[in-house]
Every structure is written in C-alpha cells, then in structure tokens.
Amino acid sequence: MQGEERGIWDIFCQVIDNYGDLGVSWRLATQLARRGHSVRLWVDDASALSWMAPGGCDGVSTHGFAQADEDFVPGDVVIEAFGCTVPPAVVGAIAQANRVRAAEGGQGGIPWINLEYLSAESWVARSHGLASPVHGGAEAGIRKWFFFPGFTEDTGGLLREPDLMAERAGFDRATWLAQRGIAWHGEPIVTLFCYEPPHLAELLRALARTPVLLLVAAGRATAAVRAVQAGAGCAGEAAGPGRTVFLPFVPQAEFDRVLWCGDCNFVRGEDSLVRALWAGAPFVWQPYPQEDAVLGAKLAALLDWLGAPESLRRLHRVWNGLEPGNLAAELAPAPPQAWRDCVARARARALAQDDLVSRLLRFAAKNR
Ligand code: TRH
C-alpha cells in the first residue's frame, strides 16, 4: 500500500464507558471507507451503533472481538484505538505475517498504530509519531507507533469530513428544527451534552429566566437535567420563559446538526469538542472527569490554543468545578462577541490544516 493506494484497515475499539471511543472509531472508519479503503471495525460492544450509525456505511464491516479470536487474517494497517486490548489471535497473526515477510527478505511490515486521546497539551507534539516499544514474546515482529490527534501541524490533527464545512454553510436551523417538530421562535439556542457538572442547577435556573431554547442530548445529560429538575420540584419550564427540549439519541450526522443549531454549545469528552469547533459557535467544554490537576491542565491547554478571553476561561473553570463562582453571572443572555471571535479564529486556524485522516494515510504509507 503506497500513498493513496487503497488497503484493508483493521480498527480495534473497546467501549470503556460513554460513546467517545466508539464515536471516534466510527468516524475514522467511515472517513477511510469514503476514501476507498476497506475497513473492518472490531468492537467489543457495538450496541451504540444502532443509533449512532443506523444505516451503517459502505466499505465498513463491524465485527465482535470474539470473531477476531477465531479467524483473523491480517489486512494492511492496524489501528489500536485508545490503548484497547487487541485479541491475542490478532497479535499472533500480525507478528507472524511480519516475521514471514522479514524471513523472505521483505522490508517493513504491517503498521500498527496506537490512536491516542485528543489533547491540546504541548507534550502531544513531542509524542506524536514516536515508535511504541514492543516487547518480545507474542509481540515479537510487531511494529507500533503512537498517533496523537491534536490541534497543531506537528500532531495527528482533527477528524473532519471533506464536505463538512460546505454542509455546515448550507444548513438552515429553522427548517431543521421544524422538520423535527421542535418549536422555535427565533430565541437563542443552547445545546447541552455533559456529564454531571457541579453547577448544572445554576445553569438551568439561569437559562430558565431568559427566553432561551435548551436542547438536551440523550443519555447522561438528560438524566442529569432530570435529576436537577426532580430535586427542584419543578419541570424547569414552569420556572420562566426558557424552554427545555430533551432529544432522543440521534445518528452522528444529526448530532452535528444539533450543534449547528446552537448559539452556544456545552460539550464533553473528545469527539463532541471537535464537532463544536467545526460548528463554529462559542462552546463550553467539560473534559472527561479525571483528577482536578489532570483535567485542569487539559482544559487550560485547550483554552490557550483557542486564545480564549478571560471571561470564557473563568466560565470553563467554574463549569468544571475547578474554581468557585457564580455560573449565572458568567453567562450573558447571548455569548459575547469576544467568544464568537475567538472560536471563529480558532476554527479558521484548524481548517487551514490537513485533517486527521489525510495525516494518518501519509503516516501509514511512510511506515509500511
Ligand atoms: O460520550 P463521551 O463522553 O465520550 C468519552 C470521551 O471521548 C472521553 O474522552 C473518553 O475517555 C470516554 O468517552 C471513554 O463524549 P464524546 O467524545 O463527545 O463522544 C460522544 C459521541 O456520541 C460522539 O461521537 C457523538 C455521539 N452522539 C451521537 O452520535 N448522537 C447522540 O445523540 C449523542 C448524545 C452522541
């Protein structure tokens, strides 16, 4: 497989919790397939694909881990997503294929790429592309590299479909909302995809006081909002002119459109952060819950890359429980122009770079 030559890609993904691991793996699989590659997505729990990708995708087949243990025949490139444990039969088959090639005097072998989590921290650029140590035994013969997604040219980049921005530009939220039976009267729209942030009750109270349409994503975000409402003894809407709509689980492409509706998007984890950047409206990020120091460093690095004004930084720190504060005071009825400008500039910087799949294809071709 050279350059843009088509090949067979095996992506391995284990679902830890939430949807990010599978969400990123699925996006990667479909984008490779749309560039003509054949992708086998091996996943230990594919259940979320029933709503995330109900129509599947030509060129992508989905398999369970048990199947890999039975009859795995190596393809051209292996992606180990987020440090998952690849079935032993796969390790053995790839090591063997590489050893045979070496014994026949062939160069290279099947590249095994550890796709890592996204972060804007500076160590990412230093670690991206490094060879990953392989210990003897069953792994002898395997050739592994780290591939770190990131926000700068010297990292693995961000997932972005080639036609995404054209679709974004042609999107009409009034039509989209009407087609889904969501009443909208032109008021600001806030979307909410979060874990259980400490100041959620404050956010809901602040939004209820102003004419805002709040779209709440399915799953943990909906459960968290409902828990606050139950605790407050009201259904939220009774408290003021703000309205809340709970969304069902929607396919990934629809989830993008939910964010395209937002004047401000509260997002979490990894994939929705990137989608919020492409959406282009101000966003507030809740990183995956980790110890405060780790979470704080991750958050600060992203805010630095964004060039976020102090008011947006403070809102992030309060929203993530890293600093006391009054969330309502940080939230104006509409996001300030400075927030819009900073996200627009950051998006332009990211759009000027190659997307993750383009970089990954070059990386795999170079390391075969
Ligand atoms: O679900 P997440 O919290 O995933 C997390 C993070 O990725 C975190 O870094 C990781 O360590 C942890 O999982 C295991 O948030 P994220 O990353 O935004 O992924 C959500 C995915 O779900 C994304 O691909 C969008 C998709 N989605 C839909 O397609 N439709 C929906 O209705 C919803 C709610 C989500």
Side-chain angles (χ1 to χ4, degrees):
M1 205 185 73
Q2 300 286 324
E4 278 290 296
E5 204 180 305
R6 311 292 177 248
I8 299 175
W9 291 63
D10 289 297
I11 302 177
F12 290 88
C13 168
Q14 267 169 325
V15 176
I16 309 297
D17 57 3
N18 304 300
Y19 318 119
D21 294 340
L22 187 55
V24 169
S25 298
W26 179 257
R27 262 189 218 292
L28 173 60
T30 56
Q31 290 183 39
L32 285 166
R34 289 188 182 126
R35 294 185 193 207
H37 298 269
S38 214
V39 185
R40 301 184 292 204
L41 175 61
W42 306 85
V43 53
D44 65 340
D45 175 4
S47 52
L49 289 181
S50 64
W51 47 264
M52 201 184 276
C57 173
D58 285 348
V60 180
S61 58
T62 306
H63 311 267
F65 268 32
Q67 210 180 330
D69 253 333
E70 279 161 26
D71 53 10
F72 182 79
V73 177
D76 297 300
V77 185
V78 174
I79 303 287
E80 174 193 313
F82 314 116
C84 74
T85 306
V86 173
V90 174
V91 177
I94 290 168
Q96 173 66 8
N98 286 354
R99 284 196 298 263
V100 168
R101 187 192 303 207
E104 289 168 351
Q107 298 285 311
I110 298 167
W112 178 305
I113 297 171
N114 292 342
L115 175 66
E116 295 293 337
Y117 287 108
L118 171 66
S119 173
E121 288 160 286
S122 56
W123 58 264
V124 164
R126 292 196 297 277
S127 309
H128 173 62
L130 294 182
S132 158
V134 170
H135 307 290
E139 287 201 341
I142 286 191
R143 307 160 68 249
K144 285 192 186 186
W145 287 269
F146 290 111
F147 191 95
F148 280 86
F151 296 85
T152 50
E153 296 279 6
D154 47 6
T155 67
L158 301 171
L159 281 165
R160 187 181 76 233
E161 297 79 359
D163 48 1
L164 186 73
M165 298 320 290
E167 286 184 22
R168 169 78 188 96
F171 178 71
D172 175 40
R173 64 178 172 175
T175 308
W176 188 89
L177 288 162
Q179 282 167 347
R180 274 140 199 90
I182 300 173
W184 179 54
H185 315 295
E187 68 271 43
I189 297 177
V190 174
T191 74
L192 180 64
F193 182 48
C194 61
Y195 303 111
E196 293 77 27
H199 294 271
L200 181 59
E202 244 174 85
L203 174 75
L204 297 179
R205 274 197 302 274
L207 293 180
R209 280 197 293 270
T210 50
V212 164
L213 175 60
L214 175 65
L215 303 179
V216 183
R220 272 172 87 166
T222 284
V225 171
R226 289 208 188 278
V228 167
Q229 291 178 342
C234 69
E237 282 157 46
R243 287 180 305 127
T244 302
V245 170
F246 293 98
L247 301 171
F249 280 114
V250 295
Q252 257 183 352
E254 284 284 284
F255 186 75
D256 277 340
R257 283 152 182 81
V258 171
L259 300 182
W260 297 354
C261 287
D263 294 288
C264 182
N265 294 313
F266 285 74
V267 288
R268 74 181 200 200
E270 187 160 327
D271 191 50
S272 57
L273 164 64
V274 177
R275 307 319 283 186
L277 177 65
W278 300 144
F283 57 84
V284 184
W285 182 44
Q286 185 181 23
Y288 184 74
Q290 278 162 305
E291 170 196 317
D292 277 4
V294 179
L295 188 143
K298 230 176 160 172
L299 189 58
L302 178 84
L303 293 167
D304 285 349
W305 177 78
L306 272 178
E310 180 49 30
S311 56
L312 187 54
R313 288 171 178 269
R314 200 165 49 241
L315 175 57
H316 272 89
R317 292 195 298 264
V318 174
W319 180 242
N320 282 285
L322 294 171
E323 148 179 329
N326 179 348
L327 196 90
E330 309 299 342
L331 272 174
Q337 189 60 40
W339 296 8
R340 285 201 287 269
D341 291 347
C342 109
V343 174
R345 280 193 300 265
R347 180 171 80 158
R349 280 200 308 278
L351 285 173
Q353 300 177 33
D354 269 346
D355 67 295
L356 184 146
V357 171
S358 303
R359 298 185 203 194
L360 184 62
L361 287 168
R362 283 199 299 272
F363 188 79
K366 190 177 92 190
N367 290 304
R368 271 191 65 78

